[in-house]
Amino acid sequence: MNNKELVAHEALKYVKNNSIIGLGTGSTANLFIQALAQKIKKESLNIKVVASSTVSQVQALEYNLDYISLDQIEVVDLYVDGADEVTNNLDVLKGRGYDLLREKLLAQISKQFLVIGDKSKMVGKIGEKFPIPIEISPIAWKITQNLIQKIAKNCVLRPNTAGDAFAITSTGNFVLDCTFEYTNLKDLSEEIAKTPGVIEYGIFQYIANIALIADDNQVTKITLDV
């Protein structure tokens, strides 16, 4: 079992019967969805799931999970997702998979937001390895980009996989990938959030409860809970 598989199975320990579970997106989250489906079938659990993206929704349906949509819920018991970056104080960067709005919604309404990944995701500061994604409205997107550019080192509109058009989120928005020089992540978040045209952004601060990080076939638990 590799590190990703190990941490995905470790996350199963947080799954409780008669609950609603939010499904994340990405390679590690996909392994969790697969493991969750096996656990539900083996233990005959009553669990409903909601997805953070079209990709995870399709996977949930392929595994015959009891799927419900975002507009049917007000709270999620557990949200399990991967991350692009994680710090020791549980600042999290997400968004390379496009669906920032859906991911942030699930993270905010979950009773427990559990981040899973391997040691390569650990950073000293958000934005260390990857640009910070910002989901923006396509309406006057150049204006929003120009406004963000005033506080960023660099800010580019994300192309699609084929490279022949702009990337489109599941809610029909564009994504800016931006690099910043900053000293306070909270201040940066507030600057981004107040910019007209910004729908959501990839900084998840003060939201995650636990991170499970796998390295060399061992899992380390990072938590701020007292």
Side-chain angles (χ1 to χ4, degrees):
M1 187 177 292
N2 62 36
N3 283 329
K4 288 186 176 182
E5 292 171 333
L6 180 64
V7 78
H9 281 81
E10 186 72 14
L12 292 177
K13 295 179 179 179
Y14 295 83
V15 172
K16 297 179 181 179
N17 196 19
N18 300 312
S19 63
I20 299 175
I21 297 180
L23 305 178
T25 305
S27 57
T28 310
N30 288 344
L31 291 170
F32 170 74
I33 297 172
Q34 181 180 2
L36 176 65
Q38 293 170 349
K39 179 180 177 69
I40 291 172
K41 184 177 181 180
K42 182 179 179 181
E43 301 178 19
S44 299
L45 300 179
N46 175 35
I47 289 177
K48 298 182 185 298
V49 300
V50 59
S52 64
S53 70
T54 304
V55 173
S56 54
Q57 176 183 342
V58 169
Q59 190 171 11
L61 295 174
E62 287 178 350
Y63 286 119
N64 295 314
L65 297 179
D66 188 359
Y67 181 81
I68 54 177
S69 62
L70 274 171
D71 60 1
Q72 293 178 282
I73 61 172
E74 294 182 0
V75 66
V76 169
D77 296 292
L78 174 69
Y79 175 41
V80 180
D81 203 353
D84 302 322
E85 296 179 345
V86 183
T87 69
N88 280 322
N89 61 346
L90 288 183
D91 293 333
V92 176
L93 179 69
K94 294 183 55 57
R96 294 178 70 203
Y98 295 21
D99 282 300
L100 282 162
L101 178 58
R102 290 173 66 167
E103 290 177 341
K104 188 69 72 73
L105 283 169
L106 284 176
Q108 289 279 19
I109 67 170
S110 64
K111 294 179 181 177
Q112 192 169 55
F113 175 26
L114 175 61
V115 177
I116 55 176
D118 58 35
K119 193 176 181 181
S120 68
K121 306 298 184 181
M122 295 301 298
V123 295
K125 182 179 181 180
I126 293 300
E128 186 175 297
K129 294 183 178 180
F130 297 105
I132 294 172
I134 303 172
E135 186 170 352
I136 65 170
S137 170
I139 300 172
W141 66 266
K142 287 186 178 180
I143 294 176
T144 301
Q145 182 184 31
N146 288 339
L147 290 171
I148 293 292
Q149 189 67 63
K150 292 180 180 180
I151 60 173
K153 286 178 60 181
N154 188 44
C155 203
V156 297
L157 200 63
R158 183 183 297 181
N160 63 7
T161 305
D164 57 2
F166 300 141
I168 305 293
T169 71
S170 63
T171 48
N173 299 313
F174 292 163
V175 178
L176 294 172
D177 286 315
C178 308
T179 55
F180 298 89
E181 286 183 354
Y182 69 92
T183 55
N184 186 292
L185 187 61
K186 182 176 182 291
D187 291 344
L188 175 62
S189 295
E190 291 174 352
E191 284 292 318
I192 295 172
K194 73 181 184 181
T195 304
V198 169
I199 305 298
E200 196 45 80
Y201 53 98
I203 300 170
F204 287 56
Q205 191 177 31
Y206 313 127
I207 304 176
N209 303 104
I210 299 171
L212 299 178
I213 304 297
D215 180 42
D216 196 22
N217 293 319
Q218 291 187 333
V219 176
T220 300
K221 178 180 175 181
I222 302 172
T223 179
L224 300 182
D225 293 342
V226 178

